[in-house]
Amino acid sequence: MKRSGIFIKVFIYTIIFSALLVGATAALFSQQLMFYFSRLRMEGISDAFQRMADQSQGEDDITELARRFYERDPSFQFYIRDKAGHIIYETPGADLSGIAIGQQPPGGKNSTILVNLNKDYNFHALRDDVFAVNYDKWIARALVMLSAMFAVCVIGAFVFARQMTKPIQTLANNTTKMSNLEEVPPLPERKDELGTLARDIHSMYDKLKDTISKLEDEILRERELEETQRYFFSAASHELKTPIAATSVLLEGMLENVGDYKDHPKYLRECVKMMDAQSKMISEILEIVNLNNGKIVPVPERLDIRHIVADMLPNYRTLSEANGQRMVMNILDGQTCFTDPQMLKKVLSNIILNAVQNTPEGGEIRIWSEPVADRYRLCILNTRARIGDAVLPKLFDPFYRVDQARSRKNGRSGLGLTIVQKTLEAMEIGFALENTPDGVLFWIELPKAL
């Protein structure tokens, strides 16, 4: 449909309706108008006749009086009869055919209007001339009046069609933009049905955009999740394949009693050691899968932050002292949080162990907490350490190791920070790993206990 199509249709329909209304009005009142003008004409002639009758009183020459009257008003034809029925005067254009002496004028064309001038004379005006109103003039006036009425109807139809179709055209243009997901300004406030329709359409469009935005976010999240899972399982298969292949080689060598593999106890212990490492890695993989699937649900409790950290530090002091490191804790008493104790311990265990393993000799591992709004920010800083800006975002990826050879030698699976990330996300706790002037800082924000 063309942009102006509805305007043209409404305009044409309104014009047709107006024309029919004007035509019906003219047809209905035309007879009344003709009768009205004829009546005025008859009254005028009657008055003229009466004046003539008054003037004829005392006059002997009625024919002279009639002649002068005709000269003053030649718009109609008449004749005068005496008492005996003889025609004593007739106007030059009067058609008296069929009118005999002493007879009444017949009906039809020559029918007359009779006025008694006095007891001796009768004045007969021909009816056709009496009703011969100036129709040309009347028709001209009627046409002017009808044209004016029709012009008013056209202007009214144009204004009406424009007022009716303008908001509809605007709404149609807006819906076209909506179909292309373009920004659409709201229509001016209206109190009628069009205003209600416009509000409903804009409300539906806003909801549609929100739904599309959510779907796009969901699709993006699903793609990221699929990519993460694909990378995770690819890395997991690689991590599991290498030690399994090594164990298979050891077992085959022992079965064949080849060379040094004859020392079965030695290499069986190596196999058991590798299988224990694999068992631990598989447990961590299953834990990550359960966290992703929401099978591990936090059970929050009221916890004392200083108490829970202090209970964990002795497990790592021996290792830190062996590395020439110093552990410092500065957490005030009375700072309590509301979270899952087992999941929090799992997170702190991985973070503190990671700090001990990556703090150089002579460095410090500082642990403190500080209030931030309705939370306590628990900070763990390992000094004299720094992580490259390109490496920092990758540390939470599964099986990522900065030093592959050293990490494998130390028995690191590369899943520690991945477990920390998934656990904190399940607990809905904010966290960050960042470089500071003093070293590498890992902080988590624990909700305050009410």
Side-chain angles (χ1 to χ4, degrees):
M1 182 182 68
K2 296 182 178 179
R3 184 177 180 183
S4 59
I6 189 171
F7 171 80
I8 293 177
K9 289 180 181 179
V10 173
F11 179 70
I12 292 176
Y13 292 157
T14 308
I15 288 295
I16 293 174
F17 176 78
S18 301
L20 291 175
L21 182 62
V22 171
T25 303
L28 180 64
F29 291 101
S30 60
Q31 294 296 330
Q32 285 82 351
L33 290 174
M34 292 176 64
F35 177 77
Y36 173 73
F37 283 112
S38 297
R39 183 175 179 181
L40 290 179
R41 178 71 168 166
M42 290 173 62
E43 290 178 355
I45 292 175
S46 298
D47 292 341
F49 292 166
Q50 187 61 47
R51 289 196 301 272
M52 185 176 176
D54 293 340
Q55 292 176 5
S56 68
Q57 300 295 329
E59 291 283 349
D60 295 330
D61 191 357
I62 191 64
T63 58
E64 181 62 21
L65 180 63
R67 185 185 62 79
R68 290 199 305 268
F69 180 82
Y70 179 72
E71 290 177 352
R72 289 197 304 268
D73 187 7
S75 62
F76 61 95
Q77 303 297 323
F78 63 91
Y79 64 93
I80 300 175
R81 285 188 176 199
D82 59 13
K83 186 175 181 182
H86 296 93
I87 299 174
I88 63 173
Y89 177 81
E90 62 180 86
T91 56
D95 183 9
L96 303 182
S97 59
I99 300 177
I101 297 175
Q103 293 181 347
Q104 291 294 331
K109 178 179 179 181
N110 293 323
S111 61
T112 63
I113 295 176
L114 176 64
V115 176
N116 295 321
L117 296 178
N118 51 38
K119 61 182 180 179
D120 296 323
Y121 303 102
N122 294 324
F123 182 89
H124 297 265
L126 299 179
R127 184 176 296 273
D128 288 346
D129 292 329
V130 171
F131 290 102
V133 183
N134 192 350
Y135 286 107
D136 293 338
K137 185 177 181 180
W138 182 84
I139 291 173
R141 291 180 180 179
L143 289 176
V144 171
M145 182 177 65
L146 291 176
S147 299
M149 292 175 62
F150 187 73
V152 172
C153 291
V154 170
I155 296 173
F158 178 83
V159 174
F160 172 76
R162 186 173 183 83
Q163 292 297 321
M164 285 295 296
T165 59
K166 185 177 180 180
I168 297 176
Q169 289 178 347
T170 303
L171 189 58
N173 294 336
N174 287 344
T175 53
T176 302
K177 293 181 180 179
M178 291 177 184
S179 64
N180 297 323
L181 298 180
E182 299 177 6
E183 288 297 327
V184 178
L187 290 175
E189 186 67 23
R190 295 175 63 99
K191 302 297 184 181
D192 54 9
E193 289 79 1
L194 288 176
T196 302
L197 177 62
R199 287 192 297 272
D200 292 342
I201 291 177
H202 278 76
S203 176
M204 181 178 65
Y205 180 56
D206 291 338
K207 292 179 180 179
L208 178 62
K209 288 197 300 182
D210 292 341
T211 302
I212 292 175
S213 178
K214 291 178 181 178
L215 287 176
E216 289 176 346
D217 294 340
E218 184 67 21
I219 292 172
L220 181 61
R221 191 182 71 83
E222 290 293 333
R223 288 178 179 174
E224 292 176 350
L225 181 59
E226 290 176 0
E227 186 65 26
T228 301
Q229 289 177 343
R230 186 161 42 250
Y231 170 79
F232 177 79
F233 287 114
S234 175
S237 63
H238 176 75
E239 292 292 328
L240 293 172
K241 180 176 65 176
T242 302
I244 290 175
T247 303
S248 178
V249 170
L250 292 176
L251 292 175
E252 288 177 359
M254 286 187 288
L255 287 173
E256 297 295 333
N257 288 322
V258 178
D260 196 33
Y261 290 115
K262 294 178 181 180
D263 188 359
H264 291 182
K266 174 184 176 182
Y267 288 102
L268 284 175
R269 282 191 295 271
E270 289 294 328
C271 290
V272 171
K273 183 178 179 181
M274 286 189 288
M275 289 301 100
D276 288 342
Q278 293 305 100
S279 177
K280 179 181 178 183
M281 182 181 293
I282 291 173
S283 297
E284 291 177 344
I285 292 174
L286 291 175
E287 184 176 0
I288 292 173
V289 171
N290 290 331
L291 287 169
N292 277 332
N293 295 335
K295 293 183 178 180
I296 300 178
V297 180
V299 181
E301 298 179 8
R302 186 185 182 92
L303 302 176
D304 185 280
I305 299 177
R306 177 182 174 84
H307 177 74
I308 198 169
V309 174
D311 288 346
M312 296 181 62
L313 287 184
N315 299 329
Y316 305 98
R317 284 191 184 277
T318 302
L319 181 60
S320 66
E321 290 173 357
N323 293 337
Q325 303 161 351
R326 192 165 68 96
M327 302 186 72
V328 179
M329 184 184 73
N330 183 19
I331 301 176
L332 300 177
D333 291 327
Q335 293 185 350
T336 57
C337 64
F338 190 70
T339 189
D340 187 293
Q342 299 303 321
M343 297 179 75
L344 179 59
K345 289 179 182 180
K346 184 74 173 181
V347 168
L348 293 177
S349 175
N350 279 283
I351 296 175
I352 296 173
L353 178 61
N354 190 71
V356 172
Q357 291 175 340
N358 292 280
T359 300
E361 185 177 354
E364 287 186 349
I365 299 172
R366 303 172 186 171
I367 304 174
W368 76 94
S369 67
E370 55 191 22
V372 179
D374 59 343
R375 296 177 178 269
Y376 288 112
R377 177 173 289 184
L378 180 60
C379 303
I380 301 173
L381 173 71
N382 47 322
T383 62
R384 299 185 184 181
R386 182 170 181 81
I387 302 174
D389 294 335
V391 174
L392 194 62
K394 301 178 181 179
L395 291 178
F396 293 99
D397 293 343
F399 305 106
Y400 182 82
R401 305 178 182 89
V402 178
D403 187 345
Q404 296 284 343
R406 181 167 172 249
S407 297
R408 287 184 183 275
K409 184 178 179 180
N410 293 337
R412 302 182 190 178
S413 64
L415 296 174
L417 288 179
T418 303
I419 293 175
V420 169
Q421 180 190 34
K422 299 299 181 182
T423 303
L424 290 175
E425 288 176 352
M427 299 169 68
E428 298 182 352
I429 291 177
F431 66 95
L433 176 63
E434 55 194 21
N435 289 309
T436 67
D438 295 330
V440 178
L441 173 66
F442 197 116
W443 56 263
I444 59 177
E445 291 187 339
L446 302 171
K448 292 182 179 179
L450 298 178

